[in-house]
Amino acid sequence: MQYSNASFVQRYQGNPILSGKDFPDEYHILHCFNSGVIKFKDKYLMLNRLEDCSLKAYFWIAESDDGYNFTPRPSPIKMPEDDPTFQKYASINYYDPRITQIGDTFYIMHACHSEYDCRLSLLSTTDFEDFNWHGFVSDPGNRNGILFPEKINGLYARFDRPMTSWDGGNIWMSFSPDLIHWGGSECVLKNSAVRWAWSKVGGGCAPIKTEEGWLNLFHGVRTQCKSHYVYQSGVCLHDLEDPTKVIAVSEKPIITPMADYELHGQTPSVCFITGAIVEDDGEVKVYYGGADTVMCAGTIQLQTLLDLCHNRI
Ligand code: BMA
């Protein structure tokens, strides 16, 4: 079933494409979701966010030739769990990795949770075998950090999402000379600009460069019945030279939780985009977590994303 009335993303018929049971039994993995995706040497690589039955986190790579059938590697990637600073600020969890290629290096920005709240941390690799940890790259209270694939006006740039007590979560941009020290922050998309996401908005995957501007596939949250959150995904277009300027925002979400694997799981009603691959023919493969439990895929045309931003659909 495609649920075409409610979603512009066409769901892959074989969804979910990865779940806990696809990983070795001895790890007791319960959840596989919100995973970063990139193309590397003609393969699709998914850096999976996993949780075992004690909610211990892993990042674990799975590989695919077609973007849908993924085979996990035999073991998770080695995280800097021996480092005292990592231990301190990631004591509860690490999660939601987003991958961005800058030159020949692949950067993974992800969230870490501890008794000090949430912070962003940065890993890099050139081969997806060995990973360098660059430390923490935000103050507490920030997540959904996603690097741009190129510098903007001579500085590295990212979307991030500081949480404020005033109005919840909005998408911000920050800049850095070295990927470690970040500043010059600007709020670029407010939740109040998105009709269906009055509680929070946050970045989804690495921005997609088009002739018209940077496409930003983001998630938006509304609070339904006091404590029930509904996570949809939307799209907006940022100025090419100055992406702090949003040129256009789609009034409609691109995907809304409707399928069983989006409605039922450890967090009901969640479609959480964390990866997108643009194919040569203009098709965009979109990867998202369903109900904080499984990984899913879908497709949408690049042109449809642009048309949605301009509200031509
Ligand atoms: C967000 C993050 C995501 C999660 C989502 C829905 O705040 O924690 O990892 O998928 O909530 O629970």
Side-chain angles (χ1 to χ4, degrees):
M1 220 186 298
Q2 294 293 336
Y3 308 104
S4 53
N5 286 342
S7 295
F8 294 92
V9 171
Q10 298 291 303
R11 290 169 174 82
Y12 175 59
Q13 297 282 356
N15 276 345
I17 56 170
L18 269 182
S19 61
K21 65 177 168 36
D22 298 315
F23 294 82
D25 288 348
E26 62 267 30
Y27 282 85
H28 307 286
I29 301 300
L30 271 189
H31 309 127
C32 169
F33 62 115
N34 299 4
S35 308
V37 186
I38 198 105
K39 254 190 176 171
F40 176 66
K41 293 189 175 167
D42 293 332
K43 282 199 185 287
Y44 298 80
L45 286 194
M46 185 177 281
L47 181 63
N48 288 288
R49 169 185 179 180
L50 301 186
E51 289 170 351
D52 75 6
C53 56
S54 71
L55 297 188
K56 176 177 165 31
Y58 295 95
F59 283 169
W60 195 311
I61 293 173
E63 301 181 15
S64 170
D65 290 325
D66 64 2
Y68 298 110
N69 295 287
F70 281 86
T71 305
R73 289 183 179 173
S75 50
I77 74 167
K78 186 165 169 13
M79 294 295 284
E81 279 162 307
D82 298 336
D83 186 291
T85 310
F86 189 84
Q87 286 169 2
K88 183 172 177 183
Y89 296 111
S91 57
I92 295 177
N93 204 1
Y94 52 85
Y95 58 103
D96 293 0
R98 272 71 168 231
I99 310 173
T100 303
Q101 181 173 5
I102 305 179
D104 293 334
T105 305
F106 299 87
Y107 291 94
I108 296 130
M109 201 168 272
H110 64 95
C112 287
H113 228 93
S114 71
E115 61 188 308
Y116 305 98
D117 204 339
C118 184
R119 297 185 75 177
L120 294 169
S121 152
L122 184 67
L123 298 163
S124 70
T125 182
T126 52
D127 56 10
F128 287 95
E129 299 292 341
D130 295 314
F131 292 82
N132 298 317
W133 185 52
H134 300 272
F136 288 96
V137 291
S138 81
D139 290 339
N142 206 329
R143 68 179 128 196
N144 300 306
I146 304 165
L147 287 169
F148 276 63
E150 58 189 65
K151 288 182 176 175
I152 305 288
N153 297 321
L155 293 172
Y156 293 103
R158 76 180 183 201
F159 290 130
D160 54 21
R161 214 283 300 282
M163 286 297 290
T164 63
S165 57
W166 184 254
D167 65 350
N170 301 310
I171 300 179
W172 288 60
M173 277 192 70
S174 303
F175 300 89
S176 172
D178 58 6
L179 290 166
I180 310 298
H181 304 91
W182 291 85
S185 303
E186 290 253 12
C187 181
V188 299
L189 186 72
K190 279 183 65 65
N191 50 31
S192 55
V194 184
R195 173 209 294 272
W196 43 267
W198 53 78
S199 303
K200 299 188 270 190
V201 287
C205 54
I208 299 169
K209 192 175 191 182
T210 73
E211 283 177 7
E212 290 191 37
W214 294 98
L215 278 173
N216 173 11
L217 275 55
F218 63 88
H219 67 266
V221 188
R222 71 174 196 267
T223 313
Q224 191 83 8
C225 299
K226 278 196 178 156
S227 57
H228 178 64
Y229 293 103
V230 178
Y231 278 73
Q232 297 168 278
S233 292
V235 61
C236 66
L237 190 64
H238 296 243
D239 186 81
L240 267 189
E241 271 80 50
D242 179 6
T244 63
K245 291 193 185 121
V246 170
I247 308 169
V249 188
S250 171
E251 283 174 10
K252 300 184 183 104
I254 60 171
I255 189 165
T256 295
M258 290 290 286
D260 283 349
Y261 48 82
E262 299 159 353
L263 295 173
H264 304 293
Q266 67 163 331
T267 315
S269 306
V270 178
C271 292
F272 197 87
I273 288 185
T274 43
I277 304 282
V278 183
E279 306 290 6
D280 292 341
D281 63 0
E283 180 191 77
V284 183
K285 289 191 173 70
V286 167
Y287 297 91
Y288 63 99
D292 286 355
T293 302
V294 293
M295 266 315 283
C296 309
T299 55
I300 187 166
Q301 294 299 313
L302 197 60
Q303 189 56 50
T304 307
L305 289 168
L306 290 166
D307 287 343
L308 279 163
C309 285
H310 293 294
N311 295 299
R312 292 192 280 248
I313 302 180

